[in-house]
Amino acid sequence: MAAPILTLTTDFGLADHYVGVMKGVILDICPRARIIDLSHEVPAYDISQGSYIIESSWRYFPRDTVHVVVIDPGVGSSRRPILIEAGGQYFVGPDNGVLAPIYACAKCKVRVISNKKYYRRPVSRTFHGRDIFAPVAAHLAAGVPPGRVGTTVKNYVRTAPQQPIQSGKRKWSGSVMRIDRFGNLITNFEAGAFPDLERFTLTAGQVKISRLARSYAECKPGELLVIAGSSGHLEISMNQGSAAQKLKIEPGAPLELLLT
Amino acid sequence: MAAPILTLTTDFGLADHYVGVMKGVILDICPRARIIDLSHEVPAYDISQGSYIIESSWRYFPRDTVHVVVIDPGVGSSRRPILIEAGGQYFVGPDNGVLAPIYACAKCKVRVISNKKYYRRPVSRTFHGRDIFAPVAAHLAAGVPPGRVGTTVKNYVRTAPQQPIQSGKRKWSGSVMRIDRFGNLITNFEAGAFPDLERFTLTAGQVKISRLARSYAECKPGELLVIAGSSGHLEISMNQGSAAQKLKIEPGAPLELLLT
Amino acid sequence: MAAPILTLTTDFGLADHYVGVMKGVILDICPRARIIDLSHEVPAYDISQGSYIIESSWRYFPRDTVHVVVIDPGVGSSRRPILIEAGGQYFVGPDNGVLAPIYACAKCKVRVISNKKYYRRPVSRTFHGRDIFAPVAAHLAAGVPPGRVGTTVKNYVRTAPQQPIQSGKRKWSGSVMRIDRFGNLITNFEAGAFPDLERFTLTAGQVKISRLARSYAECKPGELLVIAGSSGHLEISMNQGSAAQKLKIEPGAPLELLLT
């Protein structure tokens, strides 16, 4: 039988001991668990960037994977810990919208993690990653049925995803969802929504881009281009350079797509 | 039987191949080993910050875990490699004080790692993480009894921990042990030593803080607060902001706690 | 039977989800795989630094390890994905020279990865780490024979390694291959090629160094020294300080070694 897989997504960084301690807690409960880091470099308290990471990653993992997502500015307050069953996988984290992208799945079931039996005791005020989310995830990975963790609820936090808005006959307003290490600007325009993209202008800040590339290498180094990125969204990129640095724009920046 | 667990704590960073190579050496000797990173971002040569990481982490790991701690400015000199048995776990590293927090455990046994049979050969002058600590830890994880590694000694380096000093009837002098990614200042005041903390002034640099919070979220964003942190120490924090950035102080900075 | 081991070397960084997604893809195909990160902090598009990481690491891993190396500025272009069998291990990556150090091995066999059966579908234009290299490596780790992946070729990209050149009777011109986290300058002078190094001058920028040390600790803090480093090359170092910061030189900088 394959070992259970857990993934971790946090804003804890890798310099502190927090991530390592969560792994110790998990292995103590579920010694066979395989633990995979998605990212721990989510900017502190940035729920929307945390959402981006889990949304972009979970589909690549096998059935029954347990995903732990801890971007949790409300730790210790009344915000609830939740467990989501969706797409044959499990998601554990705070009910603050960070897991909202998962709610788009069909047959999504959300539970409040109310059964304190699966908490680590005592529960600290500031580190529920260690005391609630990691141990609950480890118990799930070890075979505890989701129903034991808590009852289903309907009133969870649904943050609306930033979808593009059609603002003219052939015009859409969108935004930059993410900037990656290479300086690619990942937009919220789904490539599949514009299958015949040929003649267009994508405006980002002061700059207009009209070049759709099929690979980075087909452009000159330093040239700005639009490409269907690996996450299925249009990306603004530069061959062997950073589009973000060139354009000097940040996640959330508005974009305008005009089909010409 | 559960797979043996090893943890790694170093000042090697993650950009170089050093950590990966240690893992290769470990898996070559003990293919079943599960290797967990605690931190590799300990500032270069910073024994006290390395101590902080292992002290804050090891208790969360299962019995028989082998912890490898390599902050080793004296590599290649006469400083000795040691193995500590304590609390049902194992600790491998240089005898330079980095493992000193472990000596507080009852029934702590310290051995010099003298049996070169468990070294990787040849032993380099500069990378005992690869040539001594990783292979010895892997052999322990694979079942070699600690007694084979070397004989017990008493004259190991005991660095006194930075404990607060009572400097008045209701006054204590302490210090900042650690600043984490969120800018929390983790102090050396144990929360348990001040169970009735209500009216107090904690002075850090030019700033006095009198607010004890039960959660970050109970304070306004940007407000400085004192909270019982997840490691059992008082921490100076800020809701959704960096106390360290606000106070502009460094690890080691003096603090004064006055009960009023 | 020991679990198969894969290593990953990329320029993806750890902030994005790219590395985590590659691991999901691998575990989905080969659930028993043990995945070890060598480095993901290779500077973006820097083939020569990527080569350095894999060259410095692979020998420490057990037989049959599968190494995945993705520094891939030409992703989506006509550059080919290749599989190398060498030294009892496997290497998967783009045919752009990043794997060139492996070609120094005896009985090295290079195949073009042409069998699309082992690709993940659909193949994106920008992320062959996820869609080609990770899945092919996982299939190999799971037992697919290399011959199924593609046929052998001879016309792969051989980037000549930067070897020192003898420029006088007792004089060699070399260069800095790598600067590590400690600011050690790792040179391309193999320590074994200068076994009797005693009286010498190593010139780096404006500075001449004549001190060969057997350990960092034998020098004063802040003193520049030459030492036989852990990778078998001469390194310019400083006890408890950064030689790179002191010398202000970059990877690729020229060096001159004069035996006196």
Side-chain angles (χ1 to χ4, degrees), chain A residues 9 43 58 82 113 131 143 177:
Chain A
T9 302
W58 72 272
I82 53 171
I113 301 172
D131 301 333
M177 288 198 298

Side-chain angles (χ1 to χ4, degrees), chain C residues 28-103:
Chain C
D28 199 29
I29 293 168
C30 181
R32 298 175 58 245
R34 310 285 306 278
I35 309 170
I36 300 293
D37 299 304
L38 296 185
S39 175
H40 299 291
E41 306 291 344
V42 172
Y45 322 118
D46 194 328
I47 289 171
S48 122
Q49 292 297 306
S51 285
Y52 178 81
I53 295 290
I54 189 64
E55 178 178 17
S56 308
S57 304
W58 72 272
R59 287 182 184 78
Y60 299 96
F61 283 81
R63 205 181 159 75
D64 290 328
T65 296
V66 182
H67 302 279
V68 183
V69 181
V70 191
I71 291 92
D72 194 13
V75 61
S77 73
S78 60
R79 72 92 192 89
R80 304 175 300 181
I82 53 171
L83 159 64
I84 309 175
E85 300 163 69
Q89 304 190 34
Y90 302 96
F91 303 83
V92 169
D95 182 26
N96 62 12
V98 71
L99 290 170
I102 310 303
Y103 301 140

Side-chain angles (χ1 to χ4, degrees), chain A residues 123-178:
Chain A
V123 173
S124 67
R125 294 275 164 192
T126 59
F127 193 5
H128 289 187
R130 177 190 69 191
D131 301 333
I132 298 179
F133 301 118
V136 166
H139 282 295
L140 286 166
V144 167
R148 294 254 190 91
V149 159
T151 51
T152 58
V153 290
K154 295 287 181 196
N155 63 339
Y156 44 86
V157 176
R158 297 162 207 251
T159 309
Q162 294 176 312
Q163 299 282 20
I165 292 161
Q166 188 157 6
S167 52
K169 197 178 171 202
R170 297 174 63 74
K171 204 160 94 177
W172 285 261
S173 296
S175 61
V176 174
M177 288 198 298
R178 171 89 180 171

Side-chain angles (χ1 to χ4, degrees), chain B residues 74-92:
Chain B
V75 61
S77 73
S78 60
R79 72 91 193 91
R80 304 174 301 181
I82 54 171
L83 159 64
I84 308 174
E85 300 163 68
Q89 304 190 33
Y90 302 95
F91 302 83
V92 169

